[in-house]
Amino acid sequence: MESLKIIGGNKLEGTIQISGAKNAALPLMACGLLLDSGELNLSSMPDLADTKSMSLLLYSLGIEVKNRNNITTLLGEPKSHIAAYDIVRKMRASVLVLGPLLTRCGVAKVSLPGGCSIGTRPVDLHIKAFEQMGAKINLSNGYIEASAPKNGLYGAEIIFPNISVGATENTIMAASLAIGKTTIVNAAKEPEIIDLSNCLNSMGANIKGAGTNTITIEGVKTLHGCSHKVISDRIEAGSFAIAAAMTGGELELTDCNPSHLSSLSKYLINSGVNWQNDENSIKVSSNGDLKPISIKTEEYPGFPTDLQAQFMTLMCTANGESEISETIFENRFMHVPELARMGANISVNGGTAKVIGVERLNGARLMATDLRASISLVIAALSAKGESIISRIYHLDRGYEKLEKKLIKCGANIKRIKD
Ligand code: UD1
């Protein structure tokens, strides 16, 4: 197994080019299953373990996938409707093939993704939406077995009781080829939903309202290929912005969309961090002197749960007490015991963590537990005194393209080692 060895204390200084967004890329790839003709060319694709897993899954379903120079080309039509456990278990987002398979093939058998380290993460909202569109669904032997009516799924009014990014995406994809009109009420508003809808509209779909809480989709008969550029990764950009602030450095983040990070910038500025942006780049700098700021995670445009661990890490060396409340996932404080091993003063009560800032964190042996917890430990280690070894870094490879290369270019002392 590989680990990261980090010697902390260097300020991050320089320029980092932000990659395409993992969370946009995965549903966009699943659109390859909807093609009736032509190729789907996705540019700015991040080269990640998760996009590789999705390529493998699509390939196993009969889709041809070609990857070259951050462009992924998808073509062909599904020859199998079974998404097997061995691939699905590696990545929860595999469930995003359920809607496309069901609407395109009339049947789908997709392994239940199961729980993960940040919580139970059920898929009941996805299933209920497809049932409302006429699908019959059975759960048996760990698989979701779904079949559409003889003439295909039909449009429906789907009112989600809670906001779910994945269920909104799955429903949009299924409804694109359904008969008639689907309305999604209480839809997720994330930029990745807008990106998915823009791509599907370029493929011939008729989707309106993406980015608001009500989305309407008029089903069309077929979808064709198109070329689409994946939006930039707001979570990667936010993670590096926090790393710049915590190391007292100065980073310019290019090829990003600052408007997707307004909830983070607001809190960083209140904390004393310098933040300047134009349309597609951000300059972040700090002298390391930070005011404590309390945050609560919320659905977009609120503070993203995917930046909670990184922000908590930043607050570990702020001048005073802050509160970090997690409202999206029930078990997303896995980084707390690891940060405590570095000398952080954090106490957790239910979904809220109280952080009392300390002068500086100390290097330690650390264990990465999930994707965002892992990057928070990297940020902590970059600013800490002395050496840290972070094990189980395969989580990082799921979501951060060329992480060490990008950080080394900005002065970080970080090296991948074999355990
Ligand atoms: C997506 C993101 C993930 C991010 C999350 C929240 C991708 C590939 N992943 O995950 O990085 O942290 O949004 O912004 O885009 N829920 C149910 N039933 C369901 C579906 C979800 O109860 O059928 C619950 C979940 O357990 C969670 C909440 O709804 O508590 C939000 O989850 P959801 O928005 O669906 O997250 P994902 O799409 O899995």
Side-chain angles (χ1 to χ4, degrees), residues 153-179:
L153 296 176
Y154 46 77
E157 187 185 45
I158 291 155
I159 304 174
F160 284 126
N162 315 100
I163 296 177
S164 160
V165 176
T168 303
E169 291 167 342
N170 233 339
T171 308
I172 290 174
M173 290 189 279
S176 292
L177 287 180
I179 303 161

Side-chain angles (χ1 to χ4, degrees), residues 22-23 26 92-93 121-126 163-167 169 190 305-306 328-329 332:
K22 168 182 88 74
N23 286 355
L26 297 173
R92 238 192 90 79
R121 298 182 85 175
V123 288
D124 56 317
L125 299 176
H126 304 237
I163 296 177
S164 160
V165 176
E169 291 167 342
E190 269 66 2
T305 173
D306 285 353
I328 309 289
F329 292 110
R332 209 167 196 183

